[in-house]
């Protein structure tokens, strides 16, 4: 049975854990002499027809038959009679084989030891006691059939079918069900991930269709407005010398409909700009220009995200500075400004054995999970510390220190391929969130096996601080964003900078590779987002302006960051408002807004495979939101 070996390993592990050494030794010894061969039919048949009978081991053969009689003694009466008939046939086969091999002495030895027992079970054995003394028993009508090839083949086949039926129908012990149930759970999780992936693809397709429909409607309405606007006879303002400003019809319909229904959501004070009630000519002119992602809707008009479920974690007692999904998405690590890191799970069916609280004694500035598993979590602090936490052992396995010249660990990133990670450190952090006031930069490559520094990547003399780093899919390229607005690209195999270009007029706070690895996203402290082509350096593929959400001067404990979903279609950005925007990249008209926290949103992340995102807030909470 396929789960037998796994069950035996569980028993062995338990005996070692409990310290039952004598029982363990007896268990190992009996495993070595397992007469039932783990209920593997082929091995049992080989044992009977290739070892016991050819080598005339009658005693071992009788013991094996007794063993199976005990195993199957609890079955139905008609099956017990079948077992008895098969036992008799196997002993007949042994006797016939011995006579054909000229070893009648083995037959006499069998009857001397077990003859009385056989005769008590079945009286037909009385006639068989004479077979070793008959000169040509194969000629006797009573014994002729047993010497035929057809009879021996039929015995082989009957015994194989019977054992297969019995072992498959035997009541499985609960211990052996663990492996089956675990495999079933793994298959179900795989099915869930595949279904989530298909669901996300369908959602993306639906959003594309909705976008196309919205654009067609907008173009149609705009064309109508232009026709009406050019008819001076029907417009009382025509010829007055004042510019005519047309409000997009879609905007008017939206406001009036919601006002009539009385369902328009009141805006928070921080969500309102001075020009919220005005429509500028530049806003309207964008409808006829190229769509860059900024022009179809203002963020205030973004619809609220449709939610499948949302879980809120309230384990922190100070504002959240970082939160990250693990490599599989099963665990979450979140950090707060008081130097506390919590590891937890949002799925009630997932095991909580890895849940833990880590006290680092300094402000947490960066978090990073090992890319290949959920086993290690890296933590970077404001006092130059880098801790490696083993979630299985629940302890710090390594506590590194950067040089005193670069005490602030602004970012950590693990290679997706090799056991290395890169730390971006700065020379000082004066207690202000203005990353433009940092000192100099240091990029260090660390070995995760020896936990030693391998190399320091070259940045030139007095380089500005590196605020964010990111590996590409194969770990060969590293992108680093600096406070001078530059993007630096490194070849990790050579440890050298290969290119770079000015991306922003101000500091860059976050950098990400696109999902297709042909572009790179940057978020500046001025709130501007750019997607840069890696094939045509310096070319902007898409852009957006979220400056109303990214007022860095009002962020006292964090730098703004962004997160890209697994399919590269949605970009989630932190926010000084109670809601965070979710942008649709590359020409998609619609954006969305998250459900509100009670304070600003300080950190974000996406699930590695599913449409689920994290938002951490200054209100001390972390939310896991699954999109419907």
């Amino acid at each position: 049975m396929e789960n037998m070996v796994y069950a035996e390993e569980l028993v062995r592990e338990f005996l070692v854990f409990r310290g039952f050494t004598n029982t363990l030794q007896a268990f190992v010894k009996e495993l070595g002499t397992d007469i039932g061969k783990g209920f593997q039919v082929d091995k049992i048949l080989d044992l009977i027809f290739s070892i016991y009978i050819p080598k005339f081991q009658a005693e071992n053969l009788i013991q094996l038959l007794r063993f199976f009689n005990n195993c199957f003694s609890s079955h139905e009466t008609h099956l017990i009679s079948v077992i008895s008939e098969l036992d008799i046939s196997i002993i007949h086969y042994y006797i016939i084989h011995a006579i054909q091999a000229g070893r009648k002495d083995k037959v006499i030895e069998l009857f001397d030891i077990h003859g009385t027992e056989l005769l008590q079970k079945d009286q037909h054995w009385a006639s068989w006691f004479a077979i070793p003394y008959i000169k040509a028993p194969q000629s006797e009508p009573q014994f002729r059939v047993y010497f035929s090839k057809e009879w021996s083949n039929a015995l082989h086949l009957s015994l194989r079918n019977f054992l297969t039926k019995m072992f498959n129908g035997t009541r499985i012990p609960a211990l052996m069900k663990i492996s089956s149930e675990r495999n079933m759970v793994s298959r179900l999780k795989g099915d869930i991930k595949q279904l989530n992936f298909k669901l996300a693809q369908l959602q993306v397709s639906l959003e594309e269709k909705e976008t196309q429909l919205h654009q067609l409607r907008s173009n149609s309405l705009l064309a109508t407005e232009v026709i009406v606007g050019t008819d001076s006879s029907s417009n009382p303002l025509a010829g007055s010398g004042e510019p005519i400003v047309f409000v997009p019809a879609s905007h008017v319909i939206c406001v009036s409909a919601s006002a009539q229904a009385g369902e328009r959501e009141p805006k928070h004070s921080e969500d309102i700009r001075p020009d919220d009630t005005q429509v500028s000519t530049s806003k309207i002119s964008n409808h006829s220009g190229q769509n860059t992602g900024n022009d179809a809707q203002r963020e205030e008009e973004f619809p609220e995200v449709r939610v499948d479920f949302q879980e809120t974690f309230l384990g922190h007692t100070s504002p959240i500075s970082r939160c990250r999904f693990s490599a599989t998405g099963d665990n979450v690590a979140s950090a707060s400004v008081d130097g506390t890191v919590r590891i937890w799970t949002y799925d009630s069916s997932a095991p909580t054995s890895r849940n833990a609280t880590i006290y680092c004694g300094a402000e947490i500035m960066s978090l990073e999970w090992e890319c290949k598993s959920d086993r290690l979590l890296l933590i970077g602090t404001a006092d130059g510390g880098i801790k490696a936490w083993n979630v299985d052992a629940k302890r710090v396995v390594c506590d590194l220190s950067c040089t005193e010249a670069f005490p602030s660990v602004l970012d950590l990133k693990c290679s997706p391929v090799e056991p290395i990670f890169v730390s971006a450190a700065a020379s000082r952090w004066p207690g202000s969130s203005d990353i433009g006031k940092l000192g100099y930069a240091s990029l260090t490559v660390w070995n995760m096996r020896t936990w030693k520094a391998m190399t320091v990547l070259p940045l030139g003399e007095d380089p500005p601080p590196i605020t964010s780093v990111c590996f590409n899919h194969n770990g060969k390229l590293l992108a680093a964003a600096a406070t001078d607005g530059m993007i630096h690209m490194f070849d990790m195999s050579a440890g050298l900078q290969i290119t770079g270009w000015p991306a922003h007029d101000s500091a860059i706070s976050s950098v990400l590779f696109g999902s297709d690895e042909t572009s790179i996203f940057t978020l500046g402290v001025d709130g501007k987002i750019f997607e840069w082509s890696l094939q045509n350096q310096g070319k902007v593929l898409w852009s957006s302006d979220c400056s109303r959400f990214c007022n860095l001067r009002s962020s006292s404990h964090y730098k703004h960051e962004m997160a890209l979903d697994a399919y590269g279609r949605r970009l989630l950005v932190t926010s000084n408002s109670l809601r965070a925007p979710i942008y649709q990249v590359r020409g998609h008209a619609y954006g969305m807004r998250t459900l509100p926290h009670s304070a600003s949103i300080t950190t974000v992340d996406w699930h590695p495979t599913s449409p689920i995102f994290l938002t951490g807030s200054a209100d001390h909470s972390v939310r896991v939101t699954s999109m419907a």
Side-chain angles (χ1 to χ4, degrees), residues 253-265:
I253 294 171
C254 176
V255 174
S256 61
S258 60
Q260 291 174 3
E263 296 177 353
R264 183 171 179 83
E265 179 180 340

Side-chain angles (χ1 to χ4, degrees), residues 209-219 250 296 589-590:
K209 299 298 183 184
E210 289 178 345
T211 299
Q212 294 173 4
L213 180 61
H214 177 78
Q215 289 175 341
L216 290 173
R217 288 176 176 174
S218 298
N219 292 338
S250 59
Y590 284 111

Side-chain angles (χ1 to χ4, degrees), residues 294-493:
N294 316 333
D295 44 355
Q297 283 181 307
R298 295 163 62 97
E299 292 90 341
E300 296 92 331
E301 300 167 2
F302 284 173
E304 191 173 77
V305 65
R306 291 173 293 178
V307 173
D308 182 20
F309 72 83
Q310 185 174 82
E311 298 290 339
T312 302
F313 180 73
L314 301 173
H316 290 278
T317 58
S318 62
I320 308 300
S321 57
R322 289 288 180 272
C323 61
R324 295 289 184 267
F325 277 113
S326 61
T328 63
D330 294 337
N331 297 101
V332 175
S334 54
S336 49
V337 297
D338 60 1
T340 302
V341 177
R342 301 290 299 269
I343 298 174
W344 46 280
T345 180
Y346 60 92
D347 187 352
S348 58
S349 63
T352 59
S353 57
R354 290 182 168 185
N355 290 9
T357 302
I358 311 162
Y359 300 98
C360 298
E363 181 183 350
I364 310 300
M365 307 189 73
S366 49
L367 284 179
E368 171 76 350
W369 286 91
E370 181 187 20
C371 293
K372 292 185 177 181
S373 70
D374 291 358
R375 190 172 59 89
L376 287 176
L377 174 68
L378 300 179
I379 306 168
T381 64
D383 62 356
I386 302 176
K387 300 180 186 296
W389 176 265
N390 188 308
V391 295
D392 292 326
K394 286 193 174 182
R395 63 185 182 90
V396 175
V397 294
C398 188
D399 198 346
L400 305 174
S401 295
C402 298
T403 60
E404 294 182 359
F406 303 99
S408 299
V409 184
L410 301 181
D411 202 9
L412 296 169
K413 283 295 182 297
C414 290
S415 168
V417 178
E418 299 182 73
I420 62 173
F421 73 92
V422 173
S423 65
S427 61
R428 62 186 177 88
W429 183 266
S432 168
S433 65
D434 187 354
I435 60 177
K437 295 181 180 179
L438 293 171
Y440 301 121
S442 174
L443 275 180
T444 307
V445 183
W446 302 82
N447 189 308
M448 297 179 69
R449 290 175 178 167
T450 62
W451 297 110
K452 293 182 179 179
M454 296 172 58
T455 185
V456 176
L457 298 178
L459 290 169
E461 294 185 5
D462 300 334
I466 300 297
T467 57
S468 179
V469 292
C470 184
F471 279 98
N472 73 331
H473 69 289
N474 58 18
K476 292 183 178 181
L477 293 178
L478 178 77
T483 56
D484 62 353
M486 288 287 295
I487 298 176
H488 304 271
M489 300 292 290
F490 293 88
D491 180 353
M492 294 304 294
S493 59

Side-chain angles (χ1 to χ4, degrees), residues 101-398:
R103 297 298 304 270
K104 292 184 178 182
D105 58 311
K106 292 295 182 181
V107 179
I108 296 172
E109 179 183 324
L110 171 68
F111 289 146
D112 286 342
I113 299 174
H114 300 287
T116 303
E117 178 185 349
L118 294 174
L119 193 59
Q120 289 175 350
K121 290 182 178 180
D122 197 327
Q123 290 298 319
H124 94 287
W125 282 107
S127 60
W128 279 79
F129 290 164
I131 197 171
Y133 306 104
I134 301 174
K135 288 185 178 181
Q138 63 272 18
S139 301
E140 296 292 327
Q142 181 181 358
F143 304 116
R144 185 184 300 135
V145 66
Y146 298 104
F147 286 89
S148 66
K149 188 69 174 176
E150 291 79 5
W151 180 83
S152 62
N153 290 340
L155 175 61
H156 278 76
L157 182 60
S158 298
L159 184 59
R160 175 183 293 276
N161 292 340
F162 177 78
L163 292 177
T164 302
K165 175 180 175 59
M166 295 305 294
F167 292 153
N168 289 338
T170 300
R171 184 176 62 85
I172 299 176
L175 186 64
M176 292 180 61
K177 294 180 180 178
I178 296 176
S179 178
S180 299
E181 292 175 355
R182 188 182 68 160
N183 292 337
M184 182 181 295
V185 170
S186 298
R187 287 195 298 270
L188 291 175
K189 285 185 176 180
D191 292 342
I192 290 172
K193 288 185 178 180
Q194 290 180 358
L195 292 173
N196 282 334
F197 179 76
K198 291 180 180 178
L199 176 61
Q201 288 181 320
L202 292 174
Q203 287 175 336
V204 170
S205 177
L206 177 61
E207 290 164 2
E208 289 177 347
K209 299 298 183 184
E210 289 178 345
T211 299
Q212 294 173 4
L213 180 61
H214 177 78
Q215 289 175 341
L216 290 173
R217 288 176 176 174
S218 298
N219 292 338
S220 176
L221 291 170
L222 184 61
T224 303
E225 292 164 5
V226 171
I227 293 173
V228 173
T230 54
D231 187 358
S232 59
S233 62
S234 61
N235 194 325
L237 296 180
S240 63
E242 296 185 9
I244 302 173
V245 177
F246 297 103
V247 178
S250 59
H251 180 77
V252 174
I253 294 171
C254 176
V255 174
S256 61
S258 60
Q260 291 174 3
E263 296 177 353
R264 183 171 179 83
E265 179 180 340
K267 296 181 180 179
H268 299 284
S269 59
E270 61 270 38
D271 287 346
I272 301 176
R273 292 196 300 181
D275 59 347
D276 270 359
T277 57
Q278 300 176 3
V279 181
S280 66
T281 54
S282 61
K283 177 76 175 180
I284 297 172
S285 64
N286 280 338
H287 283 276
S288 60
Q290 182 182 3
N291 182 9
T292 63
N294 316 333
D295 44 355
Q297 283 181 307
R298 295 163 62 97
E299 292 90 341
E300 296 92 331
E301 300 167 2
F302 284 173
E304 191 173 77
V305 65
R306 291 173 293 178
V307 173
D308 182 20
F309 72 83
Q310 185 174 82
E311 298 290 339
T312 302
F313 180 73
L314 301 173
H316 290 278
T317 58
S318 62
I320 308 300
S321 57
R322 289 288 180 272
C323 61
R324 295 289 184 267
F325 277 113
S326 61
T328 63
D330 294 337
N331 297 101
V332 175
S334 54
S336 49
V337 297
D338 60 1
T340 302
V341 177
R342 301 290 299 269
I343 298 174
W344 46 280
T345 180
Y346 60 92
D347 187 352
S348 58
S349 63
T352 59
S353 57
R354 290 182 168 185
N355 290 9
T357 302
I358 311 162
Y359 300 98
C360 298
E363 181 183 350
I364 310 300
M365 307 189 73
S366 49
L367 284 179
E368 171 76 350
W369 286 91
E370 181 187 20
C371 293
K372 292 185 177 181
S373 70
D374 291 358
R375 190 172 59 89
L376 287 176
L377 174 68
L378 300 179
I379 306 168
T381 64
D383 62 356
I386 302 176
K387 300 180 186 296
W389 176 265
N390 188 308
V391 295
D392 292 326
K394 286 193 174 182
R395 63 185 182 90
V396 175
V397 294
C398 188

Side-chain angles (χ1 to χ4, degrees), residues 268 270-271 575-580 594-601:
H268 299 284
E270 61 270 38
D271 287 346
S575 170
N576 292 124
S577 175
L578 306 182
R579 300 173 182 264
T594 64
L595 272 61
H597 282 263
S598 58
S600 59
I601 297 174

